[in-house]
Amino acid sequence: MQMQPHPNTQEISVICAVITVSDTRSPETDKSGQLIKELLLANNHTVKFYQIIKDEPGEIQAQMAVLGGDAQINAVIFNGGTGIAPRDTTYDALEKLLEKTLPGFGELFRFLSYQEIGSRAMASRAVAGVYQSKIIFSLPGSSNAVRLGMEKLILPELVHLVKQVNFLN
């Protein structure tokens, strides 16, 4: 077990939005979005909002504007559209909006992913940062990548990062 430099001394339920970016998935076939929701709920967090949107930069940015204006939401977790194919535009849409980035998130995600899938991990453009006092995470759309990012990176640090952004002790 790793020591945390700032252990969480109190339980906080983070209020989250989950967004799947896909041209083909439906609520019934969105395994990655469902997995994110399940893992958040299993860790005593709240999912206030869930949606599947097309991989269109304008739609992604419009959704961010809506969620940015919701004072109750503390974190937004995207999945899908982080590769380099022409239709993969999530990274491009989000990185323009992030007020602060967390380069370590993408670096650690690719490092952990490399350990599982090898050099193909370099094609992932997983990213995280801050937008309108909310923590934003963007993961690839595969369920394996979602599980990795959620269990190894997001869930262990979610409360701490939300506290940091909102100046909570």
Side-chain angles (χ1 to χ4, degrees):
M1 175 136 189
Q2 289 180 296
M3 293 292 297
Q4 291 181 329
H6 304 287
N8 296 323
T9 56
Q10 60 184 355
E11 287 295 316
I12 293 177
S13 178
V14 175
I15 301 171
C16 301
V18 176
I19 308 296
T20 295
V21 179
S22 174
D23 293 334
T24 59
R25 291 193 184 150
S26 68
E28 298 75 34
T29 62
D30 182 19
K31 292 179 184 168
S32 294
Q34 298 303 328
L35 179 59
I36 293 169
K37 292 192 313 183
E38 289 169 18
L39 290 169
L40 287 168
L41 295 172
N43 284 272
N44 300 314
H45 300 299
T46 302
V47 177
K48 181 183 180 203
F49 184 86
Y50 164 73
Q51 180 128 16
I52 299 173
I53 61 175
K54 297 285 184 208
D55 203 337
E56 294 288 344
E59 285 191 42
I60 295 166
Q61 291 177 338
Q63 188 65 72
M64 280 292 292
V66 169
L67 296 171
D70 188 329
Q72 291 183 333
I73 292 177
N74 305 115
V76 182
I77 304 172
F78 284 84
N79 76 94
T82 62
I84 59 170
R87 292 291 301 156
D88 290 333
T89 63
T90 305
Y91 173 87
D92 306 292
L94 291 179
E95 66 93 21
K96 292 177 174 109
L97 297 178
L98 295 176
E99 297 150 7
K100 292 184 179 184
T101 59
L102 296 171
F105 175 78
E107 293 162 0
L108 285 168
F109 178 81
R110 284 180 286 280
F111 170 74
L112 293 169
S113 186
Y114 175 78
Q115 293 176 328
E116 287 191 2
I117 66 168
S119 59
R120 201 161 277 184
M122 79 172 79
S124 169
R125 297 188 298 159
V127 65
V130 178
Y131 173 73
Q132 295 188 6
S133 299
K134 292 161 189 16
I135 297 293
I136 310 299
F137 296 99
S138 180
L139 293 165
S142 86
S143 294
N144 287 342
V146 162
R147 184 173 298 282
L148 175 74
M150 290 295 294
E151 291 179 348
K152 298 286 187 180
L153 299 173
I154 295 173
L155 290 170
E157 295 302 324
L158 186 58
V159 169
H160 175 70
L161 293 171
V162 166
K163 286 172 143 183
Q164 289 284 299
V165 168
N166 293 289
F167 310 108
L168 302 173
N169 291 322

